Amino acid sequence: MFVYADNAATAKMRACALRAYEETAKNFYGNPSSLHSCGQRAKEVLEDCRARVAHILGAQPREIVFTSGGSEADNQAILSAARFGAKKGKKTIVTSAIEHHAVLHPLETLEKEGFRVVLLPVGEKGIVDPKDVAAVLDESVCLCSVMLANNEIGTIQPVKEIAALCKEKHILFHTDAVQAVGHIPVNVKEIGCDYLSVSAHKFGGPRGVGVLYARTGVPLSPLIEGGAQERGKRAGTEDLPAVAAMTVALEEAISEMPAAGKKLTVLRDELIEGLSSIPHSALNGDKEKRLPGNVSFCFEGIEGESLLLLLDDKGVCASSGSACTSGSLDPSHVLLAIGRVHDVAHGSLRLTLGMENTEEEIKYLLKVIPEVVEYLRGFSPVWRDLKEGKRQYIL
Ligand SMILES: *Cc1c(COP(=O)(O)O)cnc(C)c1O
């Protein structure tokens, strides 16, 4: 059996998106900046997509900037707010300890340039407490950035409450909604955010395209200069086929959201319940306040990488929270932030489901994962020490 359970890394492109991509590339090949009719027709498609995306997010079309994806949107929001803040002598940025690297890395760069970055704790459930936010918002803060839903442990953050706290103190608020848009309801007006990041390939659109929502009047400077595209906020000839494909993918994701939410919650909870019966294992993140398709576990005494490779042999595409594969031995900052110690954090597994996953696949996962975990523990010196009482079980 083949099971794709890595939808949070990237989701398969929807058939409607593939069609829209091809048709737009074929029929609207003009450059939207060209004055001739061919360019103007392309421009009309672009503006139609902008209006449709804006409508879904609860924004005005002029508040939508098409970007190359979630990473670019995160970088642009953060750097725009930081530059503006610096001019007013406000050089503190508040964020959570579990943000995506597309938020954390630009903040590290800003730190080197003299900004102060305050990391909010998330507790063992993986959720920011608005009280902790209120406690650190002072005169020196120019921006607060807290993600809507976490990509590793799926936890959903109280962004509406946090946005309200920021608004009260005239502090800009950005939310990375990449894992949320197309999966749970997201409306910029309801949240009350100033900036919001979206990426198409997490909801069945193409890679390399996304959206930055920037509320009218907020500071916004281009990361990429060289042309007047996107009202001067993002130079470069627009990737119209990608934008058109993203738009239809988003519309389809929204229309199937109620059904998908129900189906994935059932499959998710079945997986969580089944995996919980593996001895010395634990669910990562809150059981209820999490994305419908997200299952994240730690298994004591094993390495997540070995688990992934053996699961791959059995046809299962999953992911691990640890960053070993990317050449570093540091475990995931998200798992450390929820209090998992290094050894335990290394034994993590993330399964992220999509509409194509079936009940049979869940049964298969619940058969192979316990087998593989037991097999790996048979070789593990850590597990032997635990069994012989030379080490204390943590989970
Ligand atoms: C995937 C992801 C990103 C990056 O989006 P890209 O379009 O791949 O650049 C940013 N934030 C979160 C939470 C993500 O899951």
Side-chain angles (χ1 to χ4, degrees):
M1 195 176 238
F2 174 77
V3 184
Y4 186 73
D6 203 12
N7 285 279
T10 196
K12 187 170 147 185
M13 228 166 119
R14 292 169 186 269
C16 66
L18 279 166
R19 268 197 313 273
Y21 191 97
E22 189 180 352
E23 280 165 18
T24 309
K26 207 161 38 182
N27 301 327
F28 299 96
Y29 50 84
N31 186 324
S33 299
S34 296
L35 291 178
H36 49 65
S37 56
C38 196
Q40 288 312 296
R41 279 198 297 274
K43 173 96 181 153
E44 275 170 29
V45 174
L46 182 70
E47 294 316 315
D48 176 56
C49 289
R50 195 186 310 282
R52 286 154 67 186
V53 169
H55 175 72
I56 286 175
L57 295 176
Q60 296 299 316
R62 53 178 294 154
E63 297 173 318
I64 299 297
V65 179
F66 292 125
T67 68
S68 69
S71 300
E72 186 184 327
D74 284 344
N75 274 263
Q76 189 171 4
I78 289 166
L79 295 174
S80 298
R83 277 189 197 131
F84 183 77
K87 273 192 242 157
K88 298 185 144 194
K90 295 176 187 264
K91 296 188 79 174
T92 302
I93 298 173
V94 173
T95 191
S96 86
I98 60 168
E99 295 299 309
H100 190 274
H101 285 139
V103 166
L104 293 177
H105 287 178
L107 290 181
E108 281 167 25
T109 302
L110 288 170
E111 245 176 343
K112 287 183 199 128
E113 293 169 13
F115 281 80
R116 190 168 74 97
V117 175
V118 177
L119 287 186
L120 299 161
V122 292
E124 59 180 29
K125 297 266 186 201
I127 296 177
V128 172
D129 184 343
K131 281 198 218 79
D132 290 331
V133 183
V136 296
L137 296 183
D138 63 27
E139 293 284 275
S140 72
V141 181
C142 59
L143 171 71
C144 175
S145 178
V146 175
M147 70 201 321
L148 211 162
N150 182 266
N151 46 301
E152 284 184 42
I153 59 173
T155 48
I156 297 168
Q157 306 299 323
V159 289
K160 195 174 164 181
E161 288 86 335
I162 299 171
L165 291 168
C166 290
K167 195 168 185 185
E168 222 171 81
K169 305 217 161 154
H170 306 288
I171 291 166
L172 293 165
F173 178 66
H174 164 251
T175 185
D176 175 338
V178 169
Q179 290 290 337
V181 171
H183 300 277
I184 56 173
V186 175
N187 181 301
V188 295
K189 291 286 169 308
E190 259 169 45
I191 297 169
C193 54
D194 296 299
Y195 306 95
L196 180 140
S197 306
V198 179
S199 172
H201 74 101
K202 306 288 173 74
F203 55 75
R207 291 150 212 207
V209 63
V211 169
L212 171 61
Y213 158 78
R215 190 173 62 74
T216 302
V218 300
L220 189 61
S221 41
L223 284 184
I224 300 175
E225 293 174 283
Q229 294 93 348
E230 301 298 292
R231 308 172 129 254
K233 302 306 180 190
R234 207 281 180 181
T237 305
E238 303 87 341
D239 190 345
L240 190 59
V243 167
M246 167 170 70
T247 304
V248 294
L250 181 59
E251 287 172 341
E252 191 176 85
I254 298 298
S255 71
E256 75 179 24
M257 193 190 291
K262 269 192 208 132
K263 174 184 165 170
L264 297 184
T265 303
V266 169
L267 296 182
R268 175 197 75 187
D269 290 344
E270 203 177 324
L271 256 182
I272 291 177
E273 200 185 312
L275 294 178
S276 299
S277 66
I278 296 178
H280 305 289
S281 67
L283 176 71
N284 296 315
D286 192 83
K287 201 155 182 271
E288 268 100 44
K289 288 195 186 101
R290 70 190 299 129
L291 290 168
N294 176 290
V295 176
S296 168
F297 263 81
C298 279
F299 304 108
E300 200 160 4
I302 62 169
E303 288 286 341
E305 276 61 43
S306 323
L307 181 57
L308 284 190
L309 294 175
L310 288 178
L311 285 176
D312 192 27
D313 280 345
K314 301 203 178 283
V316 176
C317 299
S319 139
S320 162
S322 86
C324 299
T325 39
S326 54
S328 128
L329 280 172
D330 296 335
S332 143
H333 65 286
V334 176
L335 298 177
L336 294 179
I338 61 168
R340 300 283 182 231
V341 298
H342 279 238
D343 276 356
V344 170
H346 273 303
S348 64
L349 176 70
R350 180 187 75 176
L351 302 158
T352 44
L353 308 173
M355 270 306 256
E356 295 203 351
N357 292 115
T358 63
E359 185 68 40
E360 289 67 47
E361 292 177 0
I362 302 302
K363 298 248 152 46
Y364 180 70
L365 291 173
L366 287 176
K367 183 175 104 57
V368 295
I369 297 170
E371 284 171 6
V372 173
V373 169
E374 194 177 305
Y375 174 79
L376 285 171
R377 281 175 171 172
F379 291 102
S380 157
V382 173
W383 186 251
R384 193 190 53 219
D385 286 354
L386 287 165
K387 270 203 334 201
E388 291 174 358
K390 291 181 190 154
R391 259 176 198 253
Q392 294 281 304
Y393 286 108
I394 295 163
L395 301 182

